[in-house]
Amino acid sequence: MKQVEIYILSGFLGAGKTTLLQQALAEEQRNGRKAAVVMNEIGQVSIDSDAVPNGTPLKELLNGCVCCTLSDKLEVQLSELLNQYDLDVIYIETTGAAHPVEVLDSCLSPQLADKVRIHSIITLIDAPAWLERQKLKIPLRKLVTEQAKHADIMILNKIDRITEKQLQEIEDELHLLNPKGLMIPTSFADIDFHKIQNAERIKRTEHEQTHAFNHLHMKTYVHSFSQPIDGQLFANFLRALPDNIYRIKGYVRFNGDPKTYLFQYAYGMPIHTASGLKMKTILVFIGDELDHEGLQKALSELEKNSREMPL
């Protein structure tokens, strides 16, 4: 099945997300790829939607933030785009107040997990504003830091407004904060898009492939079950999870129980509630440097052992 790439554009207010989006869409058009946009605005009116070229499929999420109050609506909008258009890529421009991991979580509903592939979280960092971030209120300062920390690619923008010494200072700080992220200094969000687009696509030698994947540390893993599983074995699996797994969500069924359960896991706390729906049993994992092979092995073993358990 074809999977549509998703880029999440993160960054605080005024960092240059819309400028980058315009350049990205122009590059996709030059490459003959069909792109769509989801644009989120906290207010009731979309300010930046005029920046999207005519003919580009556009969905707007207004009057809220996609990472919290509008997370369910994002799933609907993505589903509509996937059903209505033959797409290669979707760009999600978040509000300046969005946390990128929460947005990533909202993108990966179990219904969408096998239809989309998160290419990267791209955070734009306003270089002069970063130097002045201590003047922000503590919650905002923490948000700006989190946006940089969880980026696969950090675009350090507006470097024409700072000195070489200040640039080195910011680069050193960002490298300590996010040592695995790819950093691109620039002005006017003007970058070579091959650095972003080829980060995952180049697969020439094993060494180059490994190097490329090391940049993209926020990972997802999708696992489908062919049958119900044992509840106690599943609980044991969850207790043994490493702390680099931030989220799990999906649907599960248990031995001896006809119901399908909506399952969610965050910050080490599992919750499952009867969904009332007959859904495909599938789990979506989100974390930092996920061990895909290890998860696949553990879950396959869980399913195998569940078959051997008495009902």
Side-chain angles (χ1 to χ4, degrees):
M1 176 184 292
K2 175 184 177 182
Q3 289 186 308
V4 176
E5 293 177 4
I6 290 184
Y7 290 86
I8 298 171
L9 304 185
S10 172
F12 200 57
L13 299 168
K17 294 189 297 293
T18 302
T19 302
L20 180 71
L21 174 64
Q22 287 177 299
Q23 297 181 33
L25 294 175
E27 180 71 13
E28 298 290 3
Q29 186 176 31
R30 283 191 291 271
N31 292 333
R33 294 187 356 127
K34 182 68 172 177
V37 173
V38 176
M39 191 167 281
N40 181 208
E41 298 274 7
I42 291 180
Q44 296 182 0
V45 179
S46 177
I47 303 299
D48 295 324
S49 58
D50 290 342
V52 178
N54 291 334
T56 299
L58 170 66
K59 297 289 185 180
E60 296 175 293
L61 290 167
L62 305 177
N63 205 25
C65 187
V66 72
C67 69
C68 44
T69 58
L70 297 181
S71 59
D72 291 341
K73 292 183 179 179
L74 173 62
E75 179 183 337
V76 173
Q77 300 284 46
L78 288 173
S79 295
E80 289 180 358
L81 286 172
L82 294 169
N83 291 331
Q84 293 172 10
Y85 303 96
D86 182 17
L87 299 173
D88 297 298
V89 58
I90 298 174
Y91 286 87
I92 300 175
E93 181 181 333
T94 67
T95 71
H99 191 298
V101 174
E102 301 291 345
V103 179
L104 177 64
D105 184 36
S106 300
C107 289
L108 289 172
S109 74
Q111 288 79 17
L112 298 177
D114 57 352
K115 298 177 182 177
V116 302
R117 180 174 64 86
I118 305 298
H119 187 289
S120 51
I121 297 172
I122 303 172
T123 294
L124 282 97
I125 298 162
D126 183 321
W130 180 267
L131 291 170
E132 300 291 324
R133 69 191 184 283
Q134 297 303 325
K135 297 180 181 179
L136 295 172
K137 293 180 180 179
I138 292 176
L140 291 180
R141 189 164 71 235
K142 183 177 179 181
L143 173 65
V144 170
T145 303
E146 288 286 296
Q147 288 174 339
K149 178 180 178 180
H150 292 286
D152 298 310
I153 300 168
M154 296 172 285
I155 297 180
L156 184 54
N157 200 25
K158 306 182 185 180
I159 62 170
D160 55 308
R161 302 184 189 179
I162 61 174
T163 66
E164 286 289 334
K165 182 179 179 181
Q166 289 172 323
L167 174 60
Q168 187 62 57
E169 175 187 335
I170 297 174
E171 288 180 336
D172 290 344
E173 289 174 349
L174 291 175
H175 184 71
L176 286 173
L177 182 66
N178 183 356
K180 299 169 186 172
L182 173 64
M183 195 184 315
I184 305 175
T186 189
S187 299
F188 307 103
D190 184 15
I191 64 170
D192 178 0
F193 272 88
H194 289 89
K195 291 183 179 180
I196 291 175
Q197 294 172 329
N198 289 345
E200 230 179 349
R201 293 181 199 155
I202 294 176
K203 296 182 180 181
R204 294 176 184 165
T205 68
E206 192 63 32
H207 172 73
E208 289 181 0
Q209 181 178 349
T210 302
H211 177 71
F213 272 81
N214 283 343
H215 287 314
L216 304 173
H217 52 94
M218 286 301 299
K219 299 287 188 181
T220 61
Y221 173 72
V222 180
H223 189 91
S224 296
F225 293 105
S226 60
Q227 61 165 48
I229 57 176
D230 180 76
Q232 186 58 54
L233 292 179
F234 186 55
N236 294 342
F237 165 78
L238 294 174
R239 278 194 289 270
L241 284 176
D243 58 10
N244 65 322
I245 294 178
Y246 301 141
R247 301 278 196 278
I248 310 172
K249 56 185 177 180
Y251 294 93
V252 293
R253 289 184 294 133
F254 297 109
N255 286 346
D257 189 335
K259 294 189 288 291
T260 299
Y261 289 89
L262 171 65
F263 177 80
Q264 298 192 65
Y265 172 99
Y267 306 108
M269 180 69 68
I271 301 173
H272 57 269
T273 54
S275 70
L277 301 171
K278 187 71 173 179
M279 303 297 295
K280 180 181 179 182
T281 49
I282 186 172
L283 292 178
V284 180
F285 293 75
I286 301 172
D288 190 4
E289 292 290 351
L290 291 186
D291 178 5
H292 286 202
E293 185 176 335
L295 284 171
Q296 194 276 333
K297 181 179 179 181
L299 290 165
S300 296
E301 190 73 14
L302 188 161
E303 190 167 9
K304 174 179 178 292
N305 291 336
S306 294
R307 282 196 294 267
E308 299 170 355
M309 296 288 289
L311 297 179

